Amino acid sequence: MSGRKQFDVTAALDRAMHVFWQRGYADASLEALTSATGLGRGSFYGAFGGKDALFRESLDRYAATYGARYEQALAAHPGEPVRAVEAFFDVVLARIADPSVPTGCLIAQSATQAPVLKDDNAAHVRMLLDRQRERVRAALVDSPADPSVLDELATYVVAVNQSLAVLSRAGATDAELRTVVRLACRTVADSLDRAAREQPPQA
């Protein structure tokens, strides 16, 4: 009908994503989600299929939004793995400092609630964490270090990223978070340097 306001699915999904991000899955009530999306219960189920389906869509929306920024940062410094990791953390810190979004990280928030998630949702969260680790691991590929060392460093970087999200939710200051990042980048650099020195000489 002419003049009738159209429902914006993307905007509604973004608002729902913020509810899950702020409250966590367990405390994101149907009332909060329908209020955020502007939908009645019937329309809510018709548009999104229910809370669990909307939760997975919100996770994917979050991962697509920030994953693209992570990939761009990590790919911006080919052959410079430490600089790539620094750029990755720059994106993380910028997200944490953004006043327009909740503190922390939706994936980290969801991972802490894995025991109360349905199996497919918990598996989805783990898959997104694995994807993040794969992105970081790809940025380390040019290092001469043993692949097992690079695997461990990629896991370490993702663990630090999740820790930053938790610390920010607990009220850690920007200076405190940057100290963590600085030490993490130094650890990566030192580990890569040590691994390079331990490589056997070329014949």
Side-chain angles (χ1 to χ4, degrees), residues 39-131:
L39 295 171
R41 286 205 176 199
S43 298
F44 175 84
Y45 283 104
F48 297 112
K51 178 179 176 179
D52 287 293
L54 178 57
F55 178 60
R56 287 191 296 276
E57 283 194 59
S58 296
L59 285 169
D60 288 340
R61 174 71 172 169
Y62 180 91
T65 299
Y66 292 102
R69 299 178 193 181
Y70 294 149
E71 287 179 358
Q72 183 178 14
L74 288 164
H77 304 280
E80 300 179 273
V82 177
R83 185 67 194 92
V85 170
E86 290 173 345
F88 168 79
F89 281 127
D90 284 343
V91 173
V92 172
L93 292 174
R95 184 205 70 224
I96 290 172
D98 185 351
S100 70
V101 299
T103 56
C105 164
L106 176 58
I107 297 173
Q109 168 85 317
S110 302
T112 63
Q113 294 195 336
V116 302
L117 299 179
K118 291 185 177 179
D119 288 346
D120 53 350
N121 285 341
H124 203 71
V125 171
R126 181 53 195 255
M127 178 272 292
L128 293 173
L129 286 171
D130 288 343
R131 186 182 297 171

